[in-house]
Amino acid sequence: MTDATPRTTARLRGALLGGLAALAGAALAAAQPAPAAAEPQLSDGKVRIAVLNDMSSVYADSTGRGSVIAAEMAVKDFGGTLDGKPIEVIFADHQNKPDVGSNIARQWYDREGVDAILDVPTSSVALAVQQIAKEKGKLLIVSGGGTSDLTGTACSPTGIQWTYDTYALSHVSGSAAVKQGYDTWTFVTADYAFGHALERDAIAEVKRSGGKVLSTVRAPFATADFSSFLLQAQASGAKLVAFANAGGDTINAIKQANEFGLAQGGQRLLALLVNIDDVHSLGITVAQGLLLTTAFYWDRDAETRAFGERFKAQAGLMPTMHQAGVYSAVGHYLKAVRAAGSDEARTVVAKMREMPVNDMFAKGGRVREDGRMVHDMYLMQVKTPQESKGEWDLYKLVATVPGDEAFRPMSEGGCPLVKAAAK
């Protein structure tokens, strides 16, 4: 036997011992529990969501306490906690005043640990709060505010507009009405930021569709008497009278238009923004035939019906598109916080952009770089009393407009974030 034999034996013995050690290590590792998924890093150990809207005036039924109920429903459906950490919902009334809304937002962001503010109807308030959120690097998700400037020149890296905007309302309603032969328009417009934006976008769509705008008249916010404005609209001879307002203003304007006999005289009425609670308040006899655009209708499918009935059991009314949008936005936000492992606003927004929106509100929705959540919009017509089968059976679907058609192309909005991303 040569001297190579002991060395070969030693190498074999070493390899055997090494293999046994490796097997022992693997067995030990297999016996250890798998590492837990990283818990979300929350800035103060909880998620605090704040609903800021009109609790006492013209938008109280369309947003108000109903939006708080929708947010609370979303939290409950999410599971009530974020991996064992509490989720809180608070709320306040901004009284439709930008200074009041701004002061509340500053206090919430600076001293009360609010991670995200939602809803914010009244476009002037939404614009003011978005600027504060932008400065402080905090999240704002607008459901009630409608001006398309929120995702245009006033866009923010931490701002999202969820439910609708003036461009979509005007584009869907304006194009459809002109196609139906209503090619001359007059406007009764609320004299503040939202009304101006709605009128502006509608005029552009009417002209693009081949129609003409014969006149416009501006009515003060929350006015009780529309008589002089309606007489001017009637005198214009326009085939269609468009109401570029919302809430109580829309209800009063349509009621008084009915009293003045505008529809009976051959003029078609179109509400650029009207909610189901408004139509319910008007009554189907007064509102029948009215065209409108909406992001949500409770009786659209089985999922929306289930949500609508649950909401009504708590709120006493069927949900408006704003309230349904709050539910959807809160659910998507919480999913994004969990997926991102953080409640830092920019991190969460980035995750919200990555994740499609699939819930009872939207299928295949997405959040764009400019903050616009893109989803289908619906052209509806108020049923006649003969067509309606119940108290809330108010709409029939005229057309479903895909989100990419309903909302303004990102390249046309003037959002600086889009320009920066393109460089």
Side-chain angles (χ1 to χ4, degrees):
M1 191 175 283
T2 66
D3 59 356
T5 301
R7 288 196 296 270
T8 301
T9 302
R11 283 197 298 270
L12 291 171
R13 186 184 298 115
L16 179 60
L17 292 173
L20 290 172
L23 288 171
L28 181 62
Q32 299 297 319
E39 291 186 359
Q41 298 302 304
L42 305 182
S43 54
D44 54 1
K46 61 186 175 185
V47 176
R48 178 168 270 200
I49 296 166
V51 177
L52 180 62
N53 64 24
D54 177 1
M55 297 279 175
S56 56
S57 187
V58 293
Y59 306 134
D61 287 340
S62 298
T63 61
R65 181 65 181 146
S67 290
V68 180
I69 290 171
E72 292 171 341
M73 287 175 65
V75 171
K76 182 178 179 180
D77 289 350
F78 182 76
T81 64
L82 186 64
D83 295 335
K85 297 180 179 179
I87 303 170
E88 297 179 359
V89 177
I90 64 173
F91 60 90
D93 184 353
H94 62 38
Q95 303 172 41
N96 297 305
K97 297 176 181 178
D99 58 336
V100 174
S102 297
N103 289 337
I104 293 170
R106 285 194 185 94
Q107 179 175 326
W108 277 348
Y109 286 142
D110 290 344
R111 297 194 292 276
E112 297 190 25
V114 165
D115 298 296
I117 294 176
L118 287 101
D119 206 7
V120 202
T122 310
S123 291
S124 56
V125 183
L127 288 166
V129 173
Q130 175 140 300
Q131 183 59 35
I132 293 167
K134 182 179 180 180
E135 291 169 0
K136 297 182 178 297
K138 295 290 188 176
L139 185 59
L140 172 68
I141 309 176
V142 176
S143 182
T147 176
S148 57
D149 291 342
L150 286 164
T151 58
T153 54
C155 69
S156 164
T158 57
I160 297 173
Q161 193 173 24
W162 200 262
T163 302
Y164 76 109
D165 62 29
T166 53
Y167 180 96
L169 295 179
S170 303
H171 180 77
V172 175
S173 295
S175 175
V178 171
K179 288 177 181 177
Q180 291 186 8
Y182 299 99
D183 55 2
T184 56
W185 287 49
T186 185
F187 286 84
V188 177
T189 300
D191 194 11
Y192 66 107
F194 168 78
H196 298 171
L198 190 56
E199 178 193 89
R200 176 198 66 206
D201 291 344
I203 287 175
E205 184 56 41
V206 169
K207 290 180 177 178
R208 183 162 45 238
S209 300
K212 294 180 180 180
V213 176
L214 302 185
S215 66
T216 62
V217 59
R218 301 281 173 84
F221 174 67
T223 187
D225 184 5
F226 281 87
S227 58
S228 64
F229 311 113
L230 292 170
L231 287 172
Q232 292 179 62
Q234 194 173 40
S236 72
K239 295 179 183 178
L240 187 144
V241 178
F243 296 104
N245 49 20
D249 285 344
T250 302
I251 293 172
N252 287 334
I254 294 174
K255 279 182 178 178
Q256 292 172 38
N258 186 64
E259 293 167 5
F260 276 90
L262 269 68
Q264 295 89 325
Q267 289 179 301
R268 181 75 165 194
L269 304 183
L270 183 146
L272 287 164
L273 175 58
V274 67
N275 285 293
I276 194 166
D277 62 294
D278 302 323
V279 174
H280 184 263
S281 176
L282 282 165
I284 200 167
T285 301
V286 173
Q288 61 181 309
L290 187 72
L291 283 173
L292 59 103
T293 298
T294 186
F296 176 84
Y297 178 47
W298 74 272
D299 200 20
R300 192 179 76 235
D301 57 36
E303 278 188 278
T304 58
R305 282 191 285 275
F307 172 77
E309 293 295 348
R310 287 174 56 211
F311 181 92
K312 183 174 178 288
Q314 296 186 56
L317 302 170
M318 282 298 179
T320 66
M321 67 173 173
H322 312 302
Q323 293 157 346
V326 167
Y327 174 90
S328 173
V330 169
H332 194 71
Y333 166 72
L334 292 173
K335 292 173 187 174
V337 172
R338 173 178 284 167
S342 170
D343 62 358
E344 193 278 322
R346 285 179 181 254
T347 302
V348 175
V349 169
K351 186 59 67 174
M352 291 177 78
R353 289 196 187 107
E354 289 178 13
M355 300 166 59
V357 181
N358 285 306
D359 54 25
M360 62 84 204
F361 179 81
K363 301 299 181 188
R366 71 184 193 282
V367 179
R368 299 190 313 202
E369 198 69 28
D370 60 355
R372 175 69 261 162
M373 202 279 270
V374 176
H375 53 83
D376 292 349
M377 295 288 288
Y378 307 96
L379 181 67
M380 299 283 186
Q381 186 173 22
V382 177
K383 290 182 174 181
T384 65
Q386 294 74 28
E387 292 171 322
S388 177
K389 294 179 173 61
E391 181 185 7
W392 292 96
D393 181 23
L394 298 174
Y395 297 169
K396 56 184 177 184
L397 179 65
V398 176
T400 298
V401 181
D404 287 334
E405 295 179 20
F407 291 99
R408 179 179 59 201
M410 203 160 47
S411 60
E412 297 178 9
C415 172
L417 299 174
V418 175
K419 294 177 182 177
K423 290 181 180 179

